[in-house]
Amino acid sequence: MGAAPPPGATQVLADLPAPPRSPLPPDRRTPLPRRMADAVRLRELAAQRPFQYLEPDASTDAWDAFWARVWRWLRTIFDTPGGRVSGEYAVYAVALATLVFAVLKLLQVDVTGAFGRAGRRGQLAYDTESEDIHAVDFRTRIAEAEADGNLRLATRLGYLEVLKQLTDRGLIDWQPDKTNHTYLAELTAGPLRDAFRGATRQFEYVWYGELRLNADLYEQARAGQRAVAGLLTGARPVAASTPALSA
Amino acid sequence: MENENTLQPAENQVAAPEPSFAPRTDLARLTAQTDAIRQEIGKIIVGQTELLELLLTAVLADGHVLLEGVPGVAKTLMAKLLARTLEVPFSRIQFTPDLMPSDVLGTSVFRQNKADFEFRPGPIFASVVLIDEINRAPAKTQSALFEVMEERTVTQDGTAYPMAEPFLVLATQNPIEQEGTYRLPEAQLDRFLFKLHVGYPTLAEEVQILAGHHAGLGSTHLEAVQPILSAADLQALRKQVRQQRVEAHILEYIAKLVGQTRTHKSLYLGASPRASLALLNGAKALAALRGRDFVTPEDVQFLAPSVLRHRIMLTPEREMEGGTPDEVVKQIMQSIEVPR
């Protein structure tokens, strides 16, 4: 629907020579000379200093020269088709790891537990001079305390020994921040729990209540502790007898 | 950890009572009276046993209490019932946004016939003062309570008016997120011994509430609650509580707990030494309520959230992460070894 051709246009096109029916065939017979660089000349040129582009600057120190070698080595690894693909994957992996780390950090997820056993709270840096109940020689220390007449300390050591025995048998989960009643709640109902309740009560009266102990009360407290130990070993609780005190 | 406590010579034990694994002070009266209060309040309130134990602890420890909870969980009712069990003058102040300090403390009025000013005491002059919805009044009115809550006096025109003993403020508030509430000043929060959360009842408790309400045709018979303790009784019990035994390691434990709040990375403001005193006094009262004449770490741990949660301020970052003061207090307790 364009404008009409100007007059005489048809005439001009008719005067032009007709185009060839098909393009000319390719010239396959004429041999093309293959030009090759002179290898000897190339070696000569490569040996010349102006053409040694990668040579490190003589002014650089040994540290820079080391890193120049490292980068050159890396280039030889990654400057291949396989190396380029590996390099791309490495970049993706680093980006993914950074993203995962950022998300976990924002959500405050503790991932240390995913790789083996999680750290126990008891391994925190506590301010108090705590005793490792697993490292104390209770028998010796209780005997020493009894010999010194320090019955309060002996009762305390006896109670700690009970806690150690319960921990060793997996009946309670020893943590320095837990109270005695927390351990009591961890035990299932039964004779052991009742015995531990009694021993706990006596320990609390002695240690927190600063009860002045006489030989009878001390024997009661130790008997309570032995009752727990007896139930743990399956043996019957033995009546306490302390030669040092009965004298 | 090793204290010397050797066996005493026989001649020194003649006058002393026979030692035994039992309280050395007679707590029978205290136990009987507090049990009676529990029973009286239990006539109206269903459940909330832990809250009631903490309230009684505060009453025995001579401390003010801030009760926080959403509307409708019986905060005001609990405070009113507790006040009813104490046979002492009671007043109630409804805090509103337009309340003035003089509406609380009182004001001097000019007497034309004598040509002088006379002080008219405000509603704060009572032994048990229930301040309902305390955080609906602005900071100006709140600051009027500073002196009376701590020093137990009201100074007006240069004259100090002492409060009668006992003096106990029971305040209720809605959570700060609620419409029309103000944040209480830190200085005032520090004057409350406990801040207690009043939560929703359990399903069984709510069914019991409905059944009781239905049987009583919708009325709450406050008059059914009888007074148990007179002012003199309460003073005697408080004296007994003050004499509770506290072992040296427990004091150190309390100081460490409170001290940690001052260096904790999640806290912008730690607790003051007043918090340490509150924890000590509260633990002594709780031990007495539980039938012991000495404090254990259990008492301290039980009270620590109630004593500390309103005295510490989270850092903005921790707050934005959704942290709560109770979580931080729990973390602190987990980081300190129980004296044993």
Side-chain angles (χ1 to χ4, degrees), chain B residues 28 34 84 105 196 214 248 251 255-256 273 288:
Chain B
T34 51
R84 275 191 74 86
L105 302 177
L196 306 179
H214 178 62
L251 295 177
K256 278 181 183 166

Side-chain angles (χ1 to χ4, degrees), chain A residues 108 126-128 130 141 149-150 152 156 176-181 201 204-205 207-209 212-214, chain B residues 1-3 5-8 21-24 247 256 260 294 297-298 301 321 335 337-340:
Chain A
Q108 293 188 320
Y126 290 103
D127 297 329
T128 54
S130 61
R141 288 196 58 193
N150 193 343
R152 184 169 181 249
R156 171 178 174 263
D177 63 286
K178 286 185 180 177
T179 63
N180 301 332
H181 289 260
R201 185 172 184 275
E204 289 186 343
Y205 267 93
W207 193 246
Y208 304 126
R212 285 181 182 278
L213 285 173
N214 56 26
Chain B
M1 294 284 288
E2 300 180 10
N3 277 13
N5 189 350
T6 54
L7 193 59
Q8 297 299 304
F21 296 112
R24 281 151 287 175
E247 206 256 341
K256 278 181 183 166
Q260 281 274 332
F294 57 89
E298 192 85 28
Q301 285 199 357
E321 287 166 0
S335 71
E337 184 178 359
V338 166
R340 185 181 285 113

Side-chain angles (χ1 to χ4, degrees), chain A residues 3-4 8 12 19 23 55 65-66 78 101 103 136 141 143 164 170 189 208 237 240:
Chain A
V12 171
E55 186 179 351
F66 165 73
F78 288 109
F101 176 76
V103 169
V136 176
R141 288 196 58 193
K164 177 189 177 294
Y208 304 126

Side-chain angles (χ1 to χ4, degrees), chain B residues 311-332:
Chain B
R311 292 178 156 103
I312 57 178
M313 279 178 69
L314 299 179
T315 57
E317 298 83 26
R318 184 77 174 149
E319 210 159 0
M320 279 165 57
E321 287 166 0
T324 63
D326 281 19
E327 284 173 5
V328 176
V329 172
K330 192 176 172 189
Q331 276 179 10
I332 289 173

